[in-house]
Amino acid sequence: MTSRRRDNPTPEQTENLLVMTRELAEFEAELGLAPEGATRTARGAERNDTGRSLRWKLGVAGAALAAAAAVAVTVGVFMVLGPGGKPALPGTGSGSGRTALLPVPPVRPPEIEPGLLGPADGGDATEVAEQHVHMVVALYRQGDEPRGQGAGSGDDCTSCWCVTQWTPDWSQGRGLCEVPDAELLTGSMDRRCVTSPKRVIVVGLSGPASAMPSSDEHARELALCLAQQKGKLSSGSVVTMPGQMAQMASSQVTCVPVGVDYRIASWTR
Amino acid sequence: MHAFCRTMSSLHPQSDTDVSRAAGVAGGGAQAELAALTSRLIAGDQAAFARLHDMLAPGLTRHFARKLAGIGVDDGRGGRDGSGGGGLAEELAQRTWITFWRALAAGAYDPARARPSTFLYAVAANIWLRHLRERSRRGPVALAEGADWPLSSAADDPAAALECAAAVELVGRVVGGAESEATEADEAAFTEADRQLLRAIADGRTDRELAAELGISPSTAHARKKGVLGRLAGFLAGRGIGPSAAGAESEQHRGNT
């Protein structure tokens, strides 16, 4: 093995290493390895709907406690209701007084994909399919490279951007504009396709399923078009405080399908 | 399933104690078992291979299935239900296994530098980065050597994976402080306040969030963050951890063209 001269890691690379310590703890938990010696940070589960951060923060002991609590609650409910008893919400007891004392289970209800639900009262199934859906497309650029590539349009080079796309898991029925910038950024950084992006543009899309991009490629083209039309691909037009998100006001842009709302947030180191 | 068993004869023997020490086995448990199995595997024990595969393969596939689901890829074969049966997830997991085993076979894994699980994580992270690159048709495909550091887009480069694992582990020790296997030197390099700030950065907090927690302005929070990251970078460089200078020069050259 040859010995190479080493440079100091850049702040971006150092920050990336820090993030990787968190990911390592999640990875080890996922593989069923005890997180002994793993780095734990103070961030709670509120950052992550999947509960990964909670497992990471609390470790196996915390998960075991949560499981024990859930079992205790289940047993408690069973004892109060008895076999065949009808469930009642806490505080809405039917006069026995006992149901009102039931602890609220500290667990979230299972998430059910809209597509799995049938029409509520025998209505038309297409109404369910036409519910609003969300999509997020993130564009990343690492450093300043590769300058000079693309269509020769200087820094407005669309081929310089690495793109990922996903369906967000926004719980509690939040709309596009109700999701905090930090959550958008964290979600994007978790899915980054370059190691240390210096610039990230997040495009959130929301609209009827039939009007949304039908393929990954379509979503990427739409996001690039949007970012281009809003001047986001041009570095000079991105005015953000370092490390902070900037949200642009929505306005009509020609490449957005009718009925689709969008939101663009950008982040620059 | 165990198609890589034939490579076992070429594995280099290394001592159990080295791997166990690297695993930080003070608490024993699954990490200790993993370290022991890795050690036996390196020594050519085929039964250890089967046990290690049974122990980690489902979780590794689940890991990739979750990552795929996160980017909206339905694996089509049960990847979303957490069973780990997804086709692409399984393929990525297999690629990770292959790289992991080849690294062991080539003697490229040094237990003194990183725990087996950290090394496996680094290999998986490189495989995932490579997958995202391949998937992103508009990605910047011609990055200079070292531009991805601490990861490597050369997904099957065990030396890069080990370097990455060592770096992540060292940073983990620094951030973990007394809770981790930090040495006195690691601990002394940063104050508890530094470590709290580093943990917050690892959690992805923005300057604004840091400012709110610390009761300072965002610009001050940014300055503190920059300062502690700079000191951490210097700390790492002092231990020979950082991107290769050749890569940086190459990057610089690209930037000027």
Side-chain angles (χ1 to χ4, degrees):
Chain A
M1 189 182 293
T2 56
S3 172
R4 285 179 174 177
R5 193 164 64 81
R6 300 286 171 181
D7 281 341
N8 276 19
T10 65
E12 293 80 19
Q13 290 168 334
T14 310
E15 188 171 346
N16 199 43
L17 267 175
L18 279 167
V19 172
M20 288 176 78
T21 62
R22 170 170 67 86
E23 291 177 349
L24 170 63
E26 291 173 357
F27 178 78
E28 289 179 337
E30 212 154 24
L31 264 60
L33 301 169
E36 290 160 319
T39 304
R40 293 169 197 174
T41 70
R43 196 63 165 196
E46 74 276 10
R47 289 194 67 86
N48 195 321
D49 289 340
T50 65
R52 286 182 288 126
S53 294
L54 179 63
R55 281 203 307 277
W56 173 51
K57 179 185 173 188
L58 298 180
V60 171
L65 279 174
V71 169
V73 167
T74 306
V75 170
V77 168
F78 183 79
M79 289 175 69
V80 169
L81 295 177
K86 290 183 180 177
L89 289 171
T92 59
S94 55
S96 69
R98 297 177 69 186
T99 49
L101 297 176
L102 285 175
V104 179
V107 292
R108 290 173 46 205
E111 291 171 9
I112 302 171
E113 290 183 25
L116 298 176
L117 295 172
D121 45 29
D124 189 353
T126 56
E127 289 175 13
V128 175
E130 280 302 291
Q131 282 181 345
H132 268 53
V133 294
H134 303 298
M135 179 180 285
V136 178
V137 188
L139 317 171
Y140 311 82
R141 184 154 179 172
Q142 180 155 317
D144 297 325
E145 72 284 342
R147 276 184 188 158
Q149 288 192 11
S153 51
D155 220 14
D156 213 9
C157 156
T158 55
S159 67
C160 302
W161 294 84
C162 174
V163 184
T164 60
Q165 173 259 316
W166 69 96
T167 304
D169 181 22
W170 292 335
S171 60
Q172 299 152 0
R174 287 180 296 170
L176 192 62
C177 292
E178 294 169 284
V179 180
D181 286 347
E183 189 175 326
L184 272 178
L185 173 61
T186 306
S188 304
M189 293 305 279
D190 282 347
R191 296 164 176 85
R192 64 191 181 277
C193 47
V194 295
T195 317
S196 305
K198 286 201 170 175
R199 293 176 59 199
V200 181
I201 298 172
V202 186
V203 178
L205 301 166
S206 180
S210 59
M212 294 290 274
S214 55
S215 65
D216 287 0
E217 190 58 26
H218 186 189
R220 288 170 201 184
E221 281 171 8
L222 173 56
L224 279 162
C225 168
L226 255 173
Q228 207 162 23
Q229 289 204 19
K230 302 297 285 185
K232 283 283 180 181
L233 292 188
S234 170
S235 60
S237 67
V238 180
V239 184
T240 56
M241 292 288 289
Q244 294 181 6
M245 304 284 289
Q247 185 181 341
M248 292 188 66
S250 178
S251 63
Q252 285 300 317
V253 176
T254 53
C255 47
V256 180
V258 176
V260 173
D261 296 324
Y262 72 91
R263 169 186 177 181
I264 300 184
S266 67
W267 176 79
T268 307
R269 282 188 194 276
Chain B
M1 177 175 285
H2 304 305
F4 311 119
C5 289
R6 61 175 173 270
T7 66
M8 297 291 296
S9 60
S10 62
L11 295 176
H12 299 288
Q14 284 176 273
S15 76
D16 267 15
T17 49
D18 280 353
V19 183
S20 299
R21 188 173 63 243
V25 293
Q31 283 285 3
E33 186 184 359
L34 174 61
L37 286 169
T38 305
S39 180
R40 283 169 51 196
L41 177 65
I42 289 171
D45 182 345
Q46 295 200 16
F49 171 84
R51 170 75 188 117
L52 201 58
H53 188 275
D54 290 346
M55 183 180 171
L56 299 179
L60 195 56
T61 306
R62 266 200 308 276
H63 168 74
F64 282 115
R66 178 179 61 77
K67 281 191 155 304
L68 287 167
I71 60 169
V73 175
D74 186 352
D75 217 11
R77 281 200 275 162
R80 278 186 183 277
D81 64 6
S83 65
L88 183 53
E90 204 160 290
E91 185 188 322
L92 291 169
Q94 287 294 345
R95 282 169 64 181
T96 303
W97 277 115
I98 291 170
T99 308
F100 184 69
W101 302 134
R102 280 184 180 159
L104 295 181
Y109 168 61
D110 178 0
R113 296 192 67 194
R115 291 176 294 155
S117 61
T118 315
F119 182 57
L120 186 62
Y121 160 74
V123 171
N126 282 344
I127 297 282
W128 179 245
L129 177 68
R130 179 66 167 262
H131 171 71
L132 288 177
R133 279 283 163 72
E134 289 167 354
R135 190 168 176 271
S136 173
R137 293 176 197 171
R138 293 182 183 273
V141 292
L143 289 178
E145 183 195 354
D148 283 326
W149 192 92
L151 292 174
S152 168
S153 54
D156 55 355
D157 180 357
L162 183 60
E163 187 178 325
C164 172
V168 171
E169 205 148 281
L170 178 58
V171 171
R173 285 202 300 271
V174 167
V175 175
E179 288 179 26
S180 70
E181 301 286 318
T183 64
E184 283 184 17
D186 295 341
E187 271 197 74
F190 294 88
T191 65
E192 185 50 36
D194 288 337
R195 278 193 283 273
Q196 282 179 0
L197 186 55
L198 290 170
R199 283 181 204 128
I201 298 168
D203 277 329
R205 281 186 174 87
T206 63
D207 289 353
R208 228 179 266 175
E209 289 174 311
L210 287 175
E213 283 174 23
L214 299 173
I216 55 180
S217 71
S219 58
T220 307
H222 181 69
R224 284 197 192 171
K225 177 178 161 182
K226 208 171 168 182
V228 78
L229 285 176
R231 279 193 287 128
L232 180 57
F235 173 84
L236 293 170
R239 281 156 180 75
I241 291 177
S244 67
E249 282 160 13
S250 170
E251 221 175 333
Q252 181 72 35
H253 176 70
R254 289 178 59 83
N256 291 335
T257 54

